[in-house]
Amino acid sequence: MNTTTNTTKVTRFAAAVAVAYAASTMPSYAHFLPEAGGLGAGLSHPLSGLDHILAMAGVGIWAGQNADNEPVFRWLPLGFVIGMIAGAVFGMTGLSLPFVELGIAGSVVLLGAIVALGSRVPFGAAFAMTVAFGGLHGFAHGQELPIASNAFLYGLGFVASTVVLHALGFSLASFVARLSWRNALKVGGGGIAAAGVVLAAGLAG
């Protein structure tokens, strides 16, 4: 009985990892999405860079890591979405903001470090951080609005992709927690932080 249960758990975990991997490989196929009205461009944009994927999945993982002890953390990804929409509006106006890409890489480092260390951040502070991170990512999305694209559909697309990445991260964290594999999350968080450092170093260089 225990063997069957363990096998089922491992199979489900492998499926979750496979889904996450499939999401991370989507940038290779982004050009197959329809560009009509900007929806396809919006859907593909968050999946077109490792920095966006890691940050958005990282927010979901952070939320899932803490949701059992503090259910209010289920709302953490909402802060990112709110900040992202606001940042995108500013980005679409053509305003310039220095060091946006470096700030995005920094958000990846911080999110990974928080997950890796299992840091207990008060929800208010955590929500404010995700709003700020979302603002940086949204600003980058808004600046890259394709010419002649419908801004509303483009925004709808990147919000939808962001929510999917949050959900994947949250589900993965919740599943790993049920298996009592919390150390796996810490290792994953360390990997996210390390990737962020590499991205930042590449920008600085």
Side-chain angles (χ1 to χ4, degrees):
M1 181 64 177
N2 289 337
T3 301
T4 302
T5 301
N6 289 336
T7 300
T8 301
K9 288 180 177 180
V10 170
T11 301
R12 288 176 179 173
F13 178 71
V17 172
V19 170
Y21 176 77
S24 70
T25 59
M26 283 185 70
S28 301
Y29 306 99
H31 60 280
F32 289 110
L33 291 171
E35 292 294 335
L39 181 61
L43 286 168
S44 64
H45 194 270
L47 306 174
S48 64
L50 188 61
D51 49 359
H52 294 310
I53 293 172
L54 292 177
M56 293 168 187
V59 169
I61 293 171
W62 186 14
Q65 188 180 37
N66 291 277
D68 285 345
N69 295 324
E70 298 182 66
V72 71
F73 264 83
R74 295 176 183 274
W75 294 100
L76 188 64
L78 179 62
F80 191 97
V81 173
I82 290 172
M84 186 177 64
I85 292 172
V89 171
F90 281 103
M92 289 177 187
T93 64
L95 294 174
S96 61
L97 189 65
F99 309 116
V100 172
E101 292 299 329
L102 196 58
I104 288 173
S107 73
V108 175
V109 175
L110 287 173
L111 286 167
I114 289 169
V115 171
L117 297 173
S119 303
R120 293 290 184 181
V121 180
F123 178 74
F127 195 85
M129 287 174 63
T130 56
V131 170
F133 294 160
L136 290 171
H137 287 262
F139 189 85
H141 294 328
Q143 278 193 317
E144 296 174 18
L145 170 68
I147 296 174
S149 289
N150 182 296
F152 175 77
L153 291 177
Y154 176 72
L156 185 64
F158 69 67
V159 167
S161 287
T162 297
V163 170
V164 169
L165 288 169
H166 286 334
L168 282 171
F170 187 94
S171 299
L172 187 59
S174 299
F175 184 74
V176 169
R178 290 193 186 96
L179 292 178
S180 298
W181 290 356
R182 292 190 179 274
N183 285 338
L185 285 182
K186 294 182 178 181
V187 172
I192 291 173
V197 170
V198 172
L199 290 169
L203 292 169

